[in-house]
Amino acid sequence: MIGSILGDIAGSVYEFRNIKTKEFPFLTPQKGYTDDSILTLATADWLLHGGDCATYYFRYATRYPCPLGGFGGRFREWLRQGQQTGQLRPYGSCGNGSAMRGGPVGWAFRTEEETLKAARISAACTHNHPEGIKGAQAIAASVFLARQQIAKTEIRDYIESTFDYNLHRTCDEIRPIYEFNMTCQGSCPEAIIAFLESSDYESAIRLAVSLGGDSDTIACMTGGIAAAYYGIPDEIVYNAKEY
């Protein structure tokens, strides 16, 4: 989880003031965790203890505030409906909220089939649009493959063939024209590309943030994959715990 949370923290301050460069202070006092980290923790709690994943997302979102950023509008409405009616129904979203919380799924299982099944469940309780489910599965599958040290070319080819994402682009090609996009289909491929182009954990986060757009969520997704592949330097983990 730490890789995802660190990406969220590093990208949080740039979400609404994109910088389009890899040169920025990595961790500063202005940064903090957002809903991405809170719901990533909820996913891990669900995987560890079982039950209905929707209840974990509802519980974490209603109990823990976000120092920076906040929950999306449709997710907030989902929370209100749950509070008023006691029922938690999915709302057909293709937003990247399903994918940014999916990193822990990639660590929890021994097979691709189990990973994809759990990622679908984790997404569908809120984001039951096909693209919302696909985004969660793509990120979880990337983590699953990265932690096994599968070659990046094989990870790229698998994600492209399984999820129909175009990963044959570079960050330099994406960066000048990329705009804020909160959909899975408009941010998950970019997050995976940032990982594929990186050389270590920090460079992956810097590439993700440099693309602009929904930078905390993109870096959260990239960070989960990069941590599984590279690990994270102890100094970065130590400093991040201050948040």
Side-chain angles (χ1 to χ4, degrees):
M1 294 181 296
I2 296 294
S4 301
I5 292 168
L6 278 172
D8 178 33
I9 293 171
S12 62
V13 76
Y14 303 114
E15 181 177 9
F16 298 111
R17 57 183 187 94
N18 295 160
I19 50 175
K20 299 289 185 175
T21 177
K22 294 178 285 185
E23 304 304 319
F24 58 87
F26 194 69
L27 293 171
T28 69
Q30 291 75 32
K31 296 178 174 66
Y33 64 85
T34 75
D35 58 318
D36 300 41
S37 293
I38 292 169
L39 296 183
T40 294
L41 289 164
T43 299
D45 199 350
W46 164 62
L47 290 167
L48 287 168
H49 298 108
D52 178 10
C53 61
T55 63
Y56 286 85
Y57 297 134
F58 181 83
R59 183 186 310 145
Y60 272 75
T62 53
R63 290 184 181 180
Y64 301 105
C66 303
L68 289 178
F71 299 101
R74 297 186 72 185
F75 186 82
R76 290 197 304 271
E77 179 59 29
W78 181 79
L79 294 174
R80 282 193 293 270
Q81 290 292 322
Q83 290 169 328
Q84 292 169 3
T85 68
Q87 297 180 327
L88 299 170
R89 293 194 177 101
Y91 47 91
S93 175
C94 62
N96 56 20
S98 62
M100 55 83 163
R101 67 195 190 206
V105 176
W107 287 96
F109 301 98
R110 295 183 178 181
T111 69
E112 171 197 335
E113 182 181 3
E114 291 173 303
T115 300
L116 296 180
K117 179 180 178 181
R120 171 180 287 276
I121 293 169
S122 75
C125 63
T126 53
H127 298 60
N128 59 336
H129 186 286
E131 291 291 345
I133 292 170
K134 186 165 78 171
Q137 290 181 317
I139 297 302
S142 295
V143 172
F144 174 76
L145 296 172
R147 71 180 174 89
Q148 299 178 70
Q149 300 298 294
I150 302 298
K152 287 184 180 181
T153 53
E154 293 183 41
I155 296 174
R156 181 197 64 201
D157 292 347
Y158 171 83
I159 298 298
E160 281 196 325
S161 63
T162 304
F163 302 105
D164 196 29
Y165 284 167
N166 176 14
L167 304 183
H168 277 77
R169 295 173 290 155
T170 68
C171 289
D172 285 344
E173 291 170 338
I174 295 167
R175 191 178 297 110
I177 58 174
Y178 189 67
E179 298 179 351
F180 199 92
N181 192 319
M182 294 179 66
T183 67
C184 281
Q185 60 269 37
S187 59
C188 292
E190 287 73 16
I192 297 169
I193 288 168
F195 156 69
L196 293 172
E197 198 170 309
S198 66
S199 57
D200 56 25
Y201 178 81
E202 183 173 339
S203 72
I205 300 302
R206 290 187 177 279
L207 283 165
V209 173
S210 78
L211 297 178
D214 192 5
S215 60
D216 62 325
T217 299
I218 294 174
C220 177
M221 295 187 287
T222 301
I225 306 167
Y229 194 80
Y230 301 116
I232 313 171
D234 291 340
E235 181 181 2
I236 295 178
V237 175
Y238 176 80
N239 291 335
K241 286 183 178 179
E242 296 299 315
Y243 296 86

